[in-house]
């Protein structure tokens, strides 16, 4: 197999692009996919500082690496979920990455903000761990960005993540979620920062290859609560389709973004208010995060 660009021996075949690359040309390809995403959706500007939410996994650390290389002013944000050894190790990976590159890392702790770590939140709410966890992550990312003066948060969601989320939403026809699914969410309120996903054009296999070639030390284990999650089943189904028909994931996601998503966007947007307790954005009087923290406190 020869590199499509230079004719040298290729190390990676990308069937959905009908291409194969040697290591240096793959790195160029990868960075170009990120810069294309940024340009197409006006995700970032060179002047603005960007807060990169890092979990210690391959995707978010690969993203941080590319953004640093591209000259963006970045800081990392690690949210300590308090999930036993998994959190201890993933935090250490983020700290080592930041220290090696001399870039700042902000660390926030869910247990401090909510009153208990994710495993306890799960017990109290009796809901899947990912629901309290996801809610806390979104809330704390926005809060940290506002507190530290970042107009935008970037996350490491990749093509596989986005296609699986889309499949999950379609299977239940969650029209609200379909309206919100986008590589770039604008700020619709002064207290809501922009959220962008510059890796949405790249597959999990590609971010793993990038992290490997760039010698990024990341946590390989998944969160222990992820086992058996429906999102993993959705990923497996899509990967099987991809094997049979390369480009299936890409066509599913990109077709939705280009052709179907506009149909789900609401004619009149929801009215956003400020939570009367914490001041962050909500559609009600008290935000879901403050309600969660109340529930945790009551049970203590
Ligand atoms: P996940 O929801 O675990 O698939 O993660 C999706 C993205 O959310 C990651 O690529 C990160 O950008 C961000 N993220 C996940 N977990 C954390 C964390 N503990 N701290 C900061 N960002 C996170
Ligand atoms: Fe949130 Fe696993 S990362 S429950
Ligand atoms: Zn609140």
């Amino acid at each position: 197999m020869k590199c499509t660009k230079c004719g040298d021996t290729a190390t990676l075949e990308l069937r959905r692009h009908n291409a194969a690359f040697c290591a240096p040309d793959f790195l160029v390809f990868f960075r170009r996919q990120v810069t294309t995403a940024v340009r197409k959706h006006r995700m970032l500007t060179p002047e603005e500082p960007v807060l990169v939410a890092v979990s210690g996994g391959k995707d978010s650390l690969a993203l941080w690496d590319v953004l640093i290389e591209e000259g963006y002013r970045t800081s990392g944000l690690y949210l300590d979920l308090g999930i036993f050894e998994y959190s201890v190790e993933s935090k250490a990976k983020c700290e080592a990455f930041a220290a090696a590159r001399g870039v700042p890392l902000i660390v926030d702790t869910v247990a401090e903000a909510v009153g208990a770590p994710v495993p306890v939140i799960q017990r109290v709410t009796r809901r899947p761990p990912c629901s309290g966890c996801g809610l806390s992550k979104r809330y704390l990312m926005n809060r940290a960005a506002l507190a530290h003066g970042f107009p935008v948060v970037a996350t490491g969601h990749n093509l596989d993540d986005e296609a699986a989320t889309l499949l999950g939403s379609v299977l239940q026809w969650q029209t609200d979620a379909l309206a919100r699914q986008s590589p770039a969410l604008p700020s619709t309120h002064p207290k809501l920062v922009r959220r962008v996903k510059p890796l949405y054009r790249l597959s999990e296999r590609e971010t793993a290859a990038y992290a490997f070639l760039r010698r990024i030390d990341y946590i390989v284990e998944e969160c222990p609560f992820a086992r058996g999650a429906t999102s993993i089943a959705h990923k497996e189904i899509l990967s099987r389709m991809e094997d049979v028909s390369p480009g299936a994931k890409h066509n599913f996601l990109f077709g939705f973004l280009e052709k179907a998503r506009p149909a789900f966007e609401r004619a009149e947007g929801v009215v956003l208010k400020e939570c009367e307790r914490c001041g962050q954005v909500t559609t009600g009087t008290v935000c879901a995060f403050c309600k969660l923290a109340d529930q945790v406190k009551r049970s203590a």
Side-chain angles (χ1 to χ4, degrees):
M1 204 173 39
K2 294 228 182 305
C3 172
T4 315
K5 275 276 145 66
C6 71
D8 264 5
T9 309
T11 47
L12 200 79
E13 186 184 13
L14 304 184
R15 284 171 69 205
R16 79 169 188 285
H17 288 290
N18 228 339
F21 294 114
C22 66
D25 282 322
F26 172 71
L27 294 177
V28 172
F29 161 84
F30 192 93
R31 292 190 185 114
R32 195 160 296 152
Q33 290 298 322
V34 176
T35 51
T36 300
V38 168
R39 196 183 54 242
K40 231 175 133 91
H41 295 274
R42 299 202 181 120
M43 291 182 177
L44 311 168
T45 63
E47 304 79 39
E48 283 174 330
V50 45
L51 187 62
V52 188
V54 284
S55 63
K58 59 185 182 328
D59 304 302
S60 47
L61 290 181
L63 170 63
W64 200 2
D65 185 79
V66 175
L67 295 181
I68 293 169
E69 291 287 304
E70 292 294 322
Y72 288 99
R73 280 201 286 143
T74 66
S75 291
L77 170 68
Y78 175 76
L79 300 170
D80 187 340
L81 308 168
I83 305 179
F84 319 115
E85 198 49 35
Y86 168 73
S87 289
V88 177
E89 255 185 65
S90 52
K91 181 179 169 195
K93 301 288 184 201
C94 295
E95 286 172 340
F97 180 100
R101 287 160 176 79
V103 283
L105 176 72
I106 298 164
V107 177
D108 269 357
T109 309
V110 167
E112 246 167 53
V114 187
V118 166
V120 176
I121 296 176
Q122 180 207 8
R123 250 178 284 139
V124 170
T125 56
R126 296 210 200 96
R127 298 190 50 201
C130 297
S131 76
C133 173
L135 165 69
S136 306
K137 282 198 276 201
R138 281 190 300 276
Y139 179 93
L140 293 174
M141 281 177 198
N142 191 65
R143 193 178 82 174
L146 289 175
H148 298 274
F150 292 90
V152 54
V153 173
T155 57
H157 293 93
N158 59 37
L159 175 59
D160 295 62
D161 296 325
E162 293 298 283
T165 302
L166 175 60
L167 180 59
S169 305
V170 166
L171 288 175
Q172 310 229 28
W173 291 114
Q174 290 166 331
T175 48
D176 282 11
L178 289 168
R180 277 194 312 268
Q181 171 141 13
S182 169
L185 288 170
S187 163
T188 49
H189 186 280
K191 287 203 166 172
L192 201 61
V193 305
R194 278 153 39 220
R195 272 191 292 148
V196 299
K197 303 166 183 168
L199 299 185
Y200 83 99
R201 307 172 69 85
L202 290 151
S203 74
E204 205 159 298
R205 180 169 160 264
E206 288 149 21
T207 60
Y210 180 87
F212 174 78
L213 292 171
R214 293 284 297 158
R215 294 171 210 257
I216 294 171
D217 185 20
Y218 63 86
I219 181 157
V220 178
E221 293 86 63
E222 295 271 344
C223 160
F225 290 124
R227 279 177 219 132
T230 36
S231 60
I232 295 194
H234 295 154
K235 276 191 186 174
E236 283 167 3
I237 291 163
L238 288 167
S239 291
R240 284 220 291 281
M241 292 180 59
E242 183 78 23
D243 287 343
V244 185
S245 124
K249 280 178 208 171
H250 175 110
N251 294 341
F252 181 49
L253 179 67
F254 283 54
F256 165 76
L257 293 174
E258 281 155 28
K259 296 176 198 159
R261 185 177 176 268
F264 294 98
E265 280 178 309
R266 295 212 194 124
E268 88 272 41
V270 282
V271 181
L272 292 177
K273 292 176 275 190
E274 289 178 21
C275 167
E276 66 178 28
R277 305 267 289 285
C278 73
Q280 284 228 60
V281 169
T282 178
T283 49
T285 322
V286 175
C287 77
F289 181 85
C290 285
K291 285 183 189 156
L292 176 69
D294 278 351
Q295 199 182 354
V296 169
K297 248 178 252 143
R298 270 201 308 274
S299 77

